[in-house]
Amino acid sequence: MNIPRPRGTRDLLHETLRAFLRIENAASSVFERFGYQPIRIPIFERAELFIRSVGEETDIVSKEMYTFQDRGGRDLTLRPEGTAGTARAAIENGLLSRGEARKFYYTGPMFRYERPQAGRYREFWQTGIESFGSNDPLIDAETILCAQLFLDELNIAPVRIRLNSVGSGERHTYADALKQHLQPNFENLGPQDKARFENNALRLLDSKDPNTKRMLENAPSILDFLSDESRAHLDAVQNALDAAGVKYQLDPSIVRGLDYYTGTVFEISVDSLGAQDVVVGGGRYNGLIEQLGGKPTPGIGFAAGIDRLALAMSAQDSLEETSPLIQVWIVAIGEEAKPRAFALLNEIRRAGMRADMDYQGRGVRSQLRTADRLNAHYAVILGEDELARGEATLKKMSDGTQESAPLDETAARLRQSVPTNT
């Protein structure tokens, strides 16, 4: 009986998984340079965590969350994003009690019930950072710089950084102004945008409906509604980015779709991905910790979609040449050679190389074809003649040249010859 995987999920195999691992390694390398510490949060949380933080009227909560009851009748939700869970963990574990700024990064799967399409799945992977405790505009700029360096490490370029501010209480005043602007044409909105109009008008700025976009061309800008404090904060962020030589575009249409955002918001896009071009999105959420039961604590962060980053790397040919699955393949000829070949295999692995051998009793040609298919650098041949001489034959797979090496020196000889970056 064939049981297929659920729609919107996928098995991560071979090159795709290796791209994911490269992205995750780049993330941890860059984030730790900025002082972020790793954190692991549960894959499922109490449903009210996301309802309170993300917003009950957002698309995520109203239509996209995977929520279920456990045997105790508790409503649990597969996490749709990482910020709320990280904030909950920081509060629950007393990580913010010292009054110091704290920085965390995470990587893992998220879940949303969306229509699957290129780069968008119902089970998808994100990596992200969260910084708690400082309202300094320099942290806003640093967050964007961290995202930029992360993409640089992956050779993803060019990218477009778009920056905006949704203010604090100003977003509600602006939402009312936006509704007043669109009210005369309300009946011309599509069903989804009509729901956004009623429940979360700022989400209309994210609409993909061409008709809605035309109606918004002359809409008021949120920048005109910012308080003096919010405007000064945004100016300071821009000054810091300018000083660091970061190219960005001030875009008042960037609002992000979650209710916890306040102040600075930003997105980073890659043109090679087409319509679904945003690979990083984030911003400030100064009220979230207090909303979840903690003391008033400012916060800011971003999330990057690993699925889309892998697509961008593939589209731009920025995937590095694939490292061989196996660097050294041991070819044992005859039963007498197998025990010594097995011991040699262990020595090579202990020397830090990826190595393997045949356990199916195949012939020499078949084993060499396997070494070639796995892109091994060397095939190490050990048969009766080699055993008699106390040597192994080292065959370089790229050109077929061969040399002999004493058995007790073979692992060290290979360690000197096998490229260290593969």
Side-chain angles (χ1 to χ4, degrees):
M1 179 180 178
N2 181 28
I3 304 175
R5 64 180 181 270
R7 186 168 184 253
T9 66
R10 57 178 174 160
D11 302 310
L12 298 175
L13 306 172
H14 310 310
E15 298 310 313
T16 300
L17 181 55
R18 292 170 79 82
F20 271 49
L21 294 174
R22 183 185 163 201
I23 293 167
E24 293 170 24
N25 290 336
S28 60
S29 173
V30 172
F31 299 165
E32 291 185 5
R33 276 182 253 171
F34 281 75
Y36 289 85
Q37 299 176 344
I39 188 171
R40 298 283 178 92
I41 54 176
I43 287 181
F44 59 90
E45 299 266 9
R46 294 180 183 272
E48 58 261 36
L49 172 68
F50 302 109
I51 294 172
R52 291 179 62 184
S53 60
V54 173
E56 193 165 4
E57 300 300 335
T58 60
D59 288 349
I60 291 177
V61 172
S62 64
K63 296 188 296 185
E64 298 171 359
M65 291 202 317
Y66 279 95
T67 298
F68 58 95
Q69 283 194 341
D70 67 6
R71 293 185 178 182
R74 292 171 288 263
D75 288 332
L76 302 176
T77 297
L78 297 178
R79 63 187 183 197
E81 53 92 49
T83 300
T86 304
R88 191 268 314 146
I91 297 168
E92 189 169 344
N93 293 283
L95 302 179
L96 308 176
S97 58
R98 298 177 184 175
E100 301 174 356
R102 300 297 300 269
K103 296 177 171 181
F104 306 98
Y105 75 89
Y106 60 84
T107 297
M110 310 292 168
F111 304 86
R112 295 184 192 175
Y113 190 87
E114 298 182 284
R115 182 172 62 85
Q117 53 187 289
R120 176 180 288 179
Y121 301 90
R122 291 175 177 174
E123 180 192 38
F124 58 99
W125 288 72
Q126 284 187 345
T127 185
I129 62 173
E130 313 294 347
S131 176
F132 303 108
S134 175
N135 195 42
D136 194 318
L138 289 178
I139 294 294
D140 302 40
E142 181 189 87
T143 302
I144 295 172
L145 283 168
C146 182
Q148 182 187 51
L149 181 58
F150 170 49
L151 297 179
D152 287 346
E153 288 284 304
L154 298 173
N155 297 321
I156 295 177
V159 299
R160 292 184 295 118
I161 301 173
R162 294 180 291 165
L163 174 70
N164 191 27
S165 173
V166 294
S168 183
E170 303 98 299
R171 63 183 293 156
H172 302 295
T173 305
Y174 174 64
D176 290 338
L178 198 60
K179 292 173 74 171
Q180 289 179 15
H181 174 79
L182 293 172
Q183 183 65 58
N185 295 301
F186 176 80
E187 294 303 324
N188 295 325
L189 294 173
Q192 185 176 29
D193 285 342
K194 283 182 178 178
R196 288 172 171 171
F197 181 96
E198 298 294 343
N199 300 321
N200 190 350
L202 266 64
R203 288 301 310 276
L204 288 165
L205 299 176
D206 291 331
S207 176
K208 301 297 187 290
D209 189 320
N211 191 42
T212 303
K213 286 185 174 183
R214 282 193 297 271
M215 289 187 234
L216 290 169
E217 287 178 357
N218 299 314
S221 168
I222 194 170
L223 297 177
D224 296 329
F225 288 78
L226 295 181
S227 66
D228 292 342
E229 182 180 358
S230 295
R231 182 76 242 188
H233 189 100
L234 178 59
D235 289 343
V237 175
Q238 291 181 261
N239 290 337
L241 293 174
D242 292 339
V246 177
K247 295 182 178 179
Y248 64 91
Q249 173 190 354
L250 197 61
D251 186 345
S253 70
I254 302 298
V255 293
R256 306 297 295 157
L258 310 182
D259 283 358
Y260 55 60
Y261 282 114
T262 60
T264 303
V265 289
F266 69 93
E267 292 181 350
I268 303 181
S269 304
V270 181
D271 290 338
S272 60
L273 292 181
Q276 302 295 331
D277 61 349
V278 176
V279 294
V280 176
R284 189 165 276 287
Y285 43 84
N286 286 352
L288 179 59
I289 295 295
E290 185 178 10
Q291 190 177 356
L292 295 179
K295 295 180 179 180
T297 306
I300 187 170
F302 71 73
I306 294 178
D307 304 86
R308 289 188 187 176
L309 288 173
L311 275 178
M313 292 163 65
S314 176
Q316 297 182 3
D317 295 324
S318 60
L319 285 171
E320 295 175 344
E321 184 176 343
T322 302
S323 299
L325 298 175
I326 293 297
Q327 295 167 307
V328 179
W329 183 265
I330 307 295
V331 179
I333 304 175
E335 291 298 317
E336 186 179 350
K338 282 186 176 181
R340 187 63 184 92
F342 184 75
L344 179 59
L345 174 64
N346 186 51
E347 294 171 21
I348 292 170
R349 287 169 172 168
R350 285 184 173 273
M353 290 165 281
R354 298 188 295 277
D356 209 345
M357 65 180 288
D358 178 74
Y359 295 103
Q360 296 174 290
R362 295 180 301 163
V364 174
R365 288 186 178 180
S366 293
Q367 293 189 53
L368 289 174
R369 282 197 295 269
T370 298
D372 186 59
R373 179 176 57 81
L374 295 175
N375 293 322
H377 294 293
Y378 281 91
V380 177
I381 302 170
L382 191 60
E384 292 182 2
D385 292 342
E386 284 82 8
L387 284 175
R389 299 194 307 268
E391 295 179 338
T393 299
L394 279 57
K395 180 174 182 177
K396 192 173 182 179
M397 297 303 296
S398 61
D399 58 16
T401 58
Q402 296 185 173
E403 61 177 314
S404 296
L407 278 172
D408 58 359
E409 298 178 10
T410 296
R413 183 81 64 86
L414 288 168
R415 180 67 284 175
Q416 294 175 352
S417 302
V418 171
T420 57
N421 61 347
T422 61

